[in-house]
Amino acid sequence: MVLTHKQRSDLEFAILEYLNSRGNDFAATIVAFKQESGLELPAKNDDASPSIESTPSVLEKKWSSIVRLQKKILDLEDKLSLQEELRSKEGQPGRAKTSASKYLPRPPAKADLVGHRSPVTAVAMHPVYSTLASGSEDASIKIWDIELGQREHTLKGHTNYVVDLNYSPDGSLLASCSVDLSVKIWNTETYECVHTLRGHDHTVSSVAWLRSPKGSAGESAHLASCGRDQTIRLWDVTTGYSVGILTGHDGWIRSLAARPESANQGPVLGTNEALIVSGGNDTTVRVWAVGRNGKVLASRCDYVLRGHSHVVECVAFSNSSADRAIQSNKVSNAKPEGTPVDVVGSNPGGEYVVSGSRDKTIRIWSLLNGGNCVATFSDHGNWVRKVIFHPQGGYILSCSDDRTIRVYDLKAMRCTRTLEDAHAHFISSISMHSSAVYLASGSVDKTIRLWECY
């Protein structure tokens, strides 16, 4: 067993504390252990040191943690056995089995997560584990277990509103940005801040991962951030240095998204290029190509998409399921001359961009069709705050200041489900787990709601 110096010290102190609590049963052992370890317990009458009786034993706390983990394992095993039982009943009369690609949120909410002291500004699901991160105007980030509905950690480091959160594709790092002008990178195993990235001159609005920490060919992880200073900055997360600045927007850049790494060899791009999409106060959506040029990231703006009449609040890239669903719709299926015949079947996603705006509309843009708008949805009654693609199916999910969460079928090109009064106040953010089992929503009412999807 390999322990750090601090872990060894904690363990030795816990052993000494336990032996001492047994009174005279281990008197000789205590003397010998003190001599060999060099440790001493604080005196009971020492006001500067915590009382032994008033301080929970380290071993007791560790044992309690183990008991909680065992309970969690038992709960998960029960849930697994229930799922297996439901599978065994497939084909019997009753509700037909639903594919994960069709899992959609249904009321009522499974749980309300309460703990933030101010409006919730961002929520982000871990790409692998059943963990949720939330950011708030109280400057804190909280980590939640969505299976148990319990808070696990509180991350403190920002000195002003937390605006956006984003897990790296492998889930090993969490990026956060804030009104305090900084971007912070957190290790999701230790929950320690490993980097603070500074360079923006005003509020940092959004962050997006260009390359996972375990990217191909051993290349460094890269992150993009945007802000009120009208710039997009590119960062080498390994070193913490800025490696590029993109300019072109004429106002506050509100949102940012990166095309999935697996899609960066498709027909939209050349080799080793990545795509970033951004939207902001100038009402435009811009698509940028970012490529490797030695140790410096070279970039260019490939598309300027115009159509919104108010601030663009949110943007996102499609996945392969969404691409297939959109292309199956006759309205958006036309392709320009020269498009490869096998595009639909082979491309791993990222051929479309979705944007949501304060003009109350959601627009879908085709990058293969020269950036044309192929669909517009006008169902929301107030500002659209967040749009995401269903991780496994052909749907878009959105939230708005009208306090609704809406689901759009990309094959039918219409709104097929609405969660009315999903929160008591404006809904600022939504995030769906990669398994599509849960949807989380965060609101100005300071709560996070979990919605079961089936």
Side-chain angles (χ1 to χ4, degrees), residues 104-109 380 397-398 402-407 415 417-423 427 439 441 451-452:
L104 297 174
R106 300 172 188 266
H380 280 294
L397 295 94
S398 63
D402 63 10
R403 300 187 293 121
T404 67
I405 297 172
R406 294 182 181 269
V407 179
C415 179
R417 179 167 300 174
T418 303
L419 304 184
E420 299 281 358
D421 297 322
H423 279 269
I427 305 173
L439 176 79
S441 58
W451 307 85
E452 224 164 358

Side-chain angles (χ1 to χ4, degrees), residues 125-129 390-392 432-438:
M125 290 281 192
H126 193 284
V128 180
Y129 304 123
H390 191 291
Q392 297 188 18
M432 198 171 196
H433 195 266
S434 58
S435 67
V437 176
Y438 293 109

Side-chain angles (χ1 to χ4, degrees), residues 27 76-77 88 102 115 117 124 178 194 251 275 278 286 307 326 331 340 368 380 388 401 447:
L76 292 174
E77 287 176 344
S88 67
K102 296 186 181 296
R117 302 188 307 276
S178 169
V194 294
L275 282 187
S278 59
R286 293 175 184 260
I326 296 171
V331 175
L368 285 179
H380 280 294
I388 60 173
D401 281 357
T447 68

Side-chain angles (χ1 to χ4, degrees), residues 170-188:
D170 66 349
S172 64
L173 297 174
L174 174 67
S176 63
C177 62
S178 169
V179 177
D180 67 10
L181 316 188
S182 72
V183 176
K184 289 185 179 289
I185 309 298
W186 308 83
N187 183 307
T188 57

Side-chain angles (χ1 to χ4, degrees), residues 320-337:
S320 57
S321 299
D323 282 358
R324 289 191 294 271
I326 296 171
Q327 289 161 355
S328 69
N329 184 281
K330 62 180 180 180
V331 175
S332 59
N333 201 31
K335 300 182 182 62
E337 293 183 10

Side-chain angles (χ1 to χ4, degrees), residues 89-253:
K89 293 180 179 179
E90 185 180 1
Q92 296 180 9
R95 182 188 294 171
K97 183 182 178 182
T98 304
S99 167
S101 64
K102 296 186 181 296
Y103 284 177
L104 297 174
R106 300 172 188 266
K110 178 195 175 189
D112 283 3
L113 308 181
V114 180
H116 284 293
R117 302 188 307 276
S118 299
V120 177
T121 53
V123 290
M125 290 281 192
H126 193 284
V128 180
Y129 304 123
S130 57
T131 302
L132 171 73
S134 63
S136 167
E137 290 184 7
D138 63 13
S140 73
I141 300 167
K142 295 186 184 294
I143 309 298
W144 309 83
D145 184 315
I146 58 177
E147 293 286 352
L148 299 179
Q150 297 176 353
R151 184 173 70 248
E152 292 189 334
H153 301 278
T154 297
L155 313 184
K156 296 182 179 180
H158 285 294
T159 57
N160 211 324
Y161 300 174
V162 176
V163 184
D164 193 25
L165 299 169
N166 201 328
Y167 278 103
S168 62
D170 66 349
S172 64
L173 297 174
L174 174 67
S176 63
C177 62
S178 169
V179 177
D180 67 10
L181 316 188
S182 72
V183 176
K184 289 185 179 289
I185 309 298
W186 308 83
N187 183 307
T188 57
E189 290 186 3
T190 63
Y191 292 104
E192 294 178 349
C193 180
V194 294
H195 284 296
T196 298
L197 313 178
R198 300 188 185 277
H200 284 284
D201 298 326
H202 213 313
T203 297
V204 188
S205 309
S206 187
V207 285
W209 291 90
L210 301 180
R211 187 183 298 278
S212 174
K214 297 178 181 178
S216 59
E219 293 174 293
S220 300
H222 285 102
L223 183 80
S225 62
C226 66
R228 196 171 179 177
D229 60 5
Q230 305 180 24
T231 68
I232 298 171
R233 287 184 175 265
L234 309 176
W235 307 89
D236 185 329
V237 176
T238 306
T239 62
Y241 293 128
S242 175
V243 293
I245 301 176
L246 312 181
T247 58
H249 279 283
D250 295 327
W252 187 344
I253 307 175

